[in-house]
Amino acid sequence: MLSKIIAIKNVGRFRNSAGSPNPQLAKHTFISGANGFGKTTMCAVLRSLHTGDGDHIVGRKTTGVTDDISIELLVDGAPVRFNKKGWSEPKPMFAIFDGVFVGENVHAGEIVDVAQKRNLYRIIVGEEGVKLANKDTELSSASRALTTEITSSTKGLQPFLAPNMKLDEFLALAPAGDIDAQIDAQQTQVTALRQADTLKNKAQLDELPVPAMPEGLAALLQTTFDDIAADAEALVKSHLAGHGMSGDGGNWISRGLDHAADSCPFCGQSIEGLPLVAAFKAVFSQRYKNLRTEIARFREKVAQQLGEAALAELAASAERNNASVEFWKQYVSYEWARVDVPADFAAAAADLRATALTLLDAKERAPLDRVEPGAAYSDALKKYDGALAQLAKANAQVKEANRLIAERKAGLDADALPSALNQLAVLKAQKARHEPTVAELCQAHSALVSEKQEVDDERTEVRGQLDEHTKSVLRPYQNRINALLSDFNAGFTIAETSHAYPGGVASSSYQLVINGTPIDIGSAKTPLDQPSFKNTLSAGDRTTLALAFFFAHLEADPGLKDKIVVFDDPFTSQDSFRRGQTVHAIRRLAGNCRQLIVLSHDATFLRQIWTKSPASERVSLALADHRDLGSKLHEIDLEKACQGRTATDMDDLQLFLSTGAGGLLDIVRKMRVVLETYLRTTYPSCFRENEWLGDMVGKIRDGGASHAAAALYDELDQINDYSAQYHHGENMSDSTPDQIDSTALTGYVRRTLKIVNALQA
């Protein structure tokens, strides 16, 4: 049992909780204190002691102090201490109902999310189930950790595997004594097949282009105009000779005729009927012009086919072939030789070209004359024909090489390459598998896999036991929850209580049933336009559900007789009926647990439980504000603290706020009584028993910002001004029923209940 809070130092409101004298706690301990005076801090201290987790306390260190946190409690007759290193020993004997319990196990704000579902599951399944759930969580965590290690181990072995090889296949590869020889042989095969693809795509040699001499030169040079009249031809020749134009005069005259009509283009005289002009027209007819065109075209052919560009292309083709020869002679058996252009080919082509162009020049100057090729042309042509014969031999060599290349390509099976490559990779993997470093990695990996299998097998067994246990407790727990909800007159029940393992951790879920309609509790992601926990239950309903979960859990706990049960303001947002039911449920629980500690801002609520507790086993304490010294714990007379306030005053105000029932003047007076009692109870060192509300407001005003109740001044002053007019000062015997506006009164009642932290849900 927690018999004494020796000291709580530098935690929240507690600079040093110890008073003089320092009170003893009893089996039934009731602690009164205003909000902000340290009730939540005391629960955090006890929760930290229960779990052994100092974080519950460290984060609450009093701001502005440099001294370390220090806590000393007396538990079962022995001191238990907390310092910056933690508790001297944890005491897992507490069951605490407060905002933390609700937020962790039932709902966070207006929603029920994964964390609450997981924690609620542990409440439902009890100590035996928690042990199994912890073991399941432990095994799941171990399995995930091993999976991470196996994944890392697999990545470490992956570089040694052949493509598409499974790790199990790699681990099963047997050692081979001649593995290096097998790898060399397979590598040779792969190289050949890999080159096969290259060979198939590699171009063959190109035949060398043969720059041929255009045919028909001799015939062109011998062409004359036998069909032209001899006298016309003689007349033209005589005229040309007489003017010294025998060389190129014919061309000049031919062009001039294109400009002559009926008169001479030079002198303008009429040329009609002149014999000489008629001779010109006869000689320089269309046929003459065609001959000149043919001569010009032949010149172009000679220049093109025997010119520098043609010879350069021939040389370039030969160089390309020689580069191909260097490649192919690695794969084709053949007496390879360079494919070169004959050494004298360019000179022979140039000589033939020059000789032919000279003859064409002569023919162009005198198209009507016969031009003889002569010996120079014959010699040049003979020499060029010899060069062509050498070029033909080179092309024959190219044709034979291409035939052999085609045979080689046809005999290649490139489709076998993937299989050969895979076999080579398997052989290399087989060698790597049994190298010392890799063999050690394989052994470690296999050990991890075996260990994970053992863990998973054990988890399967534990989870099976947990499932069976959960099934055995879920339905009774749900039934008890609904019975408690019925006792609290709740307008809803729960159904479809179930469990699952999202994320590998055991979790519970349930549905709300309102007006016979099942509603999923949803989560933070549930849209607002869908019914769920957050938009179907009031604040009072949520508190009632949390209490039902807590009571059902304790009732099912076989170790309840050894538990210290702590409540911190368990009636928040409840109406008078549910508040009374909470009192009844706590009183019933008190007889079954080792110790009961109830903290509340409402002394009347505590008194309702106090009166039913054995006088020898109860104590009432209060948290009082000692300004700069912080809150301190001291013993109080609970009966006296509640004197002057009937047990139903608060309930009457709640009823009026809800339904409008009650005499208006009576409600006004009860507002003042409730506030006066609240102030005397909450701030016992500030107000005397014979002070009325007006006196109290005046003292707060005079005390200014340093007064303990300064934060309440504005609200209290307005409520006092409003209510005093119906009492004509503080004359309580004057009950003149001045006209009271019920709407205004409702507003002031709501503000009164808000001050005393008892606003109805």
Side-chain angles (χ1 to χ4, degrees):
M1 188 172 78
L2 177 62
S3 54
K4 180 177 286 192
I5 299 175
I6 298 173
I8 301 175
K9 297 180 180 179
N10 303 318
V11 185
R13 290 280 296 168
F14 296 111
R15 296 296 296 272
N16 184 351
S17 68
S20 182
N22 213 14
Q24 290 283 129
L25 276 62
K27 176 177 174 60
H28 299 161
T29 298
F30 304 92
I31 302 175
S32 173
N35 291 336
F37 276 22
K39 300 192 302 298
T40 301
T41 300
M42 290 186 67
C43 288
V45 169
L46 298 181
R47 179 172 281 105
S48 176
L49 176 60
H50 175 75
T51 62
D53 184 358
D55 289 347
H56 292 288
I57 300 172
V58 174
R60 293 177 175 271
K61 181 176 179 180
T62 304
T63 57
V65 300
T66 57
D67 294 338
D68 290 331
I69 292 173
S70 175
I71 302 173
E72 186 172 3
L73 309 175
L74 194 63
V75 181
D76 293 336
V80 180
R81 298 179 178 88
F82 178 90
N83 55 35
K84 59 184 178 181
K85 294 183 179 180
W87 288 99
S88 56
E89 61 174 313
K91 294 291 183 179
M93 58 178 60
F94 292 88
I96 304 171
F97 181 88
D98 61 354
V100 175
F101 170 85
V102 175
E104 289 182 348
N105 304 291
V106 186
H107 63 87
E110 296 181 342
I111 62 173
V112 181
D113 231 326
V114 176
Q116 289 79 39
K117 293 177 180 179
R118 287 177 175 174
N119 292 334
L120 179 60
Y121 176 82
R122 292 170 174 267
I123 291 175
I124 294 173
V125 297
E127 185 175 347
E128 179 184 351
V130 167
K131 289 180 180 178
L132 289 171
N134 286 340
K135 186 63 176 177
D136 177 77
T137 300
E138 176 187 331
L139 292 171
S140 295
S141 178
S143 179
R144 288 193 297 272
L146 287 169
T147 298
T148 300
E149 291 187 60
I150 290 171
T151 300
S152 177
S153 174
T154 300
K155 289 181 179 179
L157 290 170
Q158 204 65 42
F160 305 105
L161 272 64
N164 301 318
M165 176 179 280
K166 295 180 179 179
L167 183 56
D168 289 344
E169 296 173 346
F170 176 74
L171 296 174
L173 291 172
D178 62 342
I179 191 66
D180 288 331
Q182 292 186 50
I183 290 175
D184 290 342
Q186 190 65 23
Q187 182 66 63
T188 300
Q189 177 68 8
V190 166
T191 300
L193 289 172
R194 181 178 286 117
Q195 294 300 327
D197 283 343
T198 303
L199 297 180
K200 280 195 171 185
N201 294 323
K202 183 69 176 178
Q204 296 179 334
L205 279 63
D206 295 326
E207 290 192 35
L208 299 176
V210 181
M213 175 65 191
E215 296 181 357
L217 177 62
L220 178 63
L221 295 175
Q222 297 296 315
T223 300
T224 62
F225 294 102
D226 295 337
D227 58 338
I228 299 176
D231 55 347
E233 184 177 353
L235 181 60
V236 171
K237 287 183 177 180
S238 174
H239 179 77
L240 292 175
H243 290 79
M245 298 169 60
S246 298
D248 194 33
N251 291 333
W252 180 80
I253 294 173
S254 175
R255 288 192 292 271
L257 285 175
D258 292 336
H259 302 281
D262 295 331
S263 60
C264 177
F266 300 103
C267 65
Q269 295 183 31
S270 175
I271 59 175
E272 187 175 357
L274 292 178
L276 182 60
V277 173
F280 285 162
K281 291 181 177 180
V283 172
F284 300 105
S285 63
Q286 184 61 42
R287 188 176 178 190
Y288 179 84
K289 294 179 180 179
N290 291 342
L291 177 60
R292 289 184 60 247
T293 299
E294 186 177 354
I295 294 170
R297 288 178 179 172
F298 208 95
R299 282 182 61 85
E300 291 178 1
K301 288 182 181 180
V302 170
Q304 181 181 11
Q305 293 184 219
L306 299 177
E308 295 296 331
L311 295 177
E313 174 57 28
L314 177 62
S317 180
E319 286 303 315
R320 289 194 296 272
N321 278 345
N322 285 325
S324 295
V325 165
E326 291 301 316
F327 174 83
W328 283 111
K329 68 183 181 181
Q330 303 175 67
Y331 309 104
V332 177
S333 298
Y334 180 58
E335 294 183 4
W336 291 95
R338 286 182 58 82
V339 185
D340 291 329
V341 178
D344 57 350
F345 189 89
D351 188 20
L352 179 61
R353 181 181 71 246
T355 303
L357 291 177
T358 299
L359 293 173
L360 289 170
D361 287 345
K363 182 63 175 177
E364 188 175 21
R365 288 194 298 273
L368 301 179
D369 294 339
R370 190 185 308 273
V371 177
E372 296 297 335
Y377 176 74
S378 297
D379 291 342
L381 185 59
K382 183 177 180 180
K383 187 186 297 184
Y384 185 69
D385 286 342
L388 285 179
Q390 294 299 317
L391 189 62
K393 290 182 180 180
N395 275 336
Q397 179 184 345
V398 169
K399 289 180 180 179
E400 178 62 15
N402 282 342
R403 184 185 67 79
L404 295 175
I405 290 171
E407 289 180 358
R408 169 60 68 190
K409 287 186 175 185
L412 295 173
D413 183 11
D415 292 340
L417 179 60
S419 176
L421 284 170
N422 182 68
Q423 183 58 34
L424 176 62
V426 170
L427 290 171
K428 288 181 177 180
Q430 186 176 3
K431 178 182 179 180
R433 164 66 180 85
H434 296 284
E435 291 176 348
T437 302
V438 180
E440 186 176 345
L441 292 175
C442 292
Q443 184 177 359
H445 178 85
S446 298
L448 288 172
V449 171
S450 297
E451 184 179 357
K452 183 178 184 300
Q453 186 60 53
E454 292 177 4
V455 169
D456 288 344
D457 290 344
E458 185 179 0
R459 185 184 63 173
T460 299
E461 181 180 354
V462 169
R463 186 163 288 187
Q465 295 173 6
L466 182 58
D467 287 343
E468 288 301 317
H469 174 77
T470 302
K471 290 177 183 177
S472 70
V473 299
L474 275 181
R475 183 60 60 182
Y477 186 81
Q478 176 178 297
N479 292 340
R480 182 54 187 152
I481 289 291
N482 287 332
L484 287 166
L485 290 174
S486 177
D487 290 344
F488 278 95
N489 203 24
F492 64 94
T493 58
I494 66 170
E496 299 299 327
T497 307
S498 60
H499 75 290
Y501 299 90
V505 181
S507 173
S508 66
S509 188
Y510 55 90
Q511 288 182 331
L512 298 171
V513 179
I514 302 175
N515 295 330
T517 303
I519 298 172
D520 288 332
I521 58 176
S523 67
K525 297 180 180 179
T526 303
L528 289 175
D529 60 356
Q530 292 183 14
S532 65
F533 184 95
K534 62 184 175 182
N535 57 16
T536 57
L537 295 186
S538 67
D541 287 337
R542 293 195 290 270
T543 299
T544 300
L545 180 61
L547 279 169
F549 281 137
F550 187 75
F551 283 123
H553 165 64
L554 289 180
E555 290 174 5
D557 186 354
L560 177 59
K561 60 183 176 57
D562 298 319
K563 289 285 173 60
I564 299 175
V565 182
V566 182
F567 289 92
D568 179 16
D569 272 337
F571 60 88
T572 303
S573 298
Q574 290 184 336
D575 59 25
S576 58
F577 176 83
R578 292 182 182 177
R579 175 172 161 158
Q581 187 60 33
T582 301
V583 169
H584 174 73
I586 293 176
R587 286 199 305 234
R588 182 176 57 202
L589 178 68
N592 299 318
C593 63
R594 185 177 185 187
Q595 185 178 15
L596 173 70
I597 300 175
V598 184
L599 303 96
S600 178
H601 66 275
D602 190 338
T604 303
F605 174 77
L606 295 176
R607 182 177 175 276
Q608 289 178 278
I609 309 174
W610 158 278
T611 57
K612 299 295 184 179
S613 302
S616 61
E617 297 180 343
R618 68 188 184 188
V619 65
S620 58
L621 311 175
L623 287 168
D625 180 34
H626 285 246
R627 308 290 176 84
D628 293 341
L629 298 179
S631 295
K632 289 185 178 294
L633 191 64
H634 62 88
E635 189 169 355
I636 63 168
D637 184 339
L638 193 57
E639 294 287 354
K640 187 175 181 181
C642 297
Q643 187 176 0
R645 179 183 180 191
T646 66
T648 59
D649 282 349
M650 187 87 70
D651 296 339
D652 289 344
L653 294 182
Q654 292 274 20
L655 185 61
F656 174 78
L657 187 63
S658 301
T659 66
L664 301 186
L665 184 58
D666 184 52
I667 295 299
V668 171
R669 289 171 174 171
K670 288 182 178 180
M671 284 169 47
R672 296 179 70 85
V673 171
V674 166
L675 290 172
E676 289 162 356
T677 305
Y678 173 78
L679 292 172
R680 291 191 194 100
T681 304
T682 305
Y683 308 97
S685 62
C686 297
F687 306 111
R688 298 191 301 272
E689 289 296 330
N690 61 349
E691 289 178 333
W692 306 109
L693 183 59
D695 301 321
M696 295 175 173
V697 172
K699 292 184 73 170
I700 297 172
R701 180 173 56 250
D702 294 341
S706 63
H707 195 282
L712 302 176
Y713 173 73
D714 287 339
E715 281 290 281
L716 289 172
D717 186 46
Q718 292 181 51
I719 295 173
N720 179 59
D721 287 347
Y722 168 78
S723 59
Q725 62 181 311
Y726 301 109
H727 289 281
H728 302 286
E730 297 297 340
N731 184 0
M732 301 301 288
S733 63
D734 186 346
S735 57
T736 304
D738 294 345
Q739 185 65 36
I740 298 177
D741 185 333
S742 62
T743 301
L745 178 58
T746 299
Y748 281 105
V749 169
R750 179 179 288 107
R751 294 164 73 174
T752 297
L753 292 175
K754 183 177 180 182
I755 288 175
V756 300
N757 300 294
L759 188 62
Q760 180 177 328

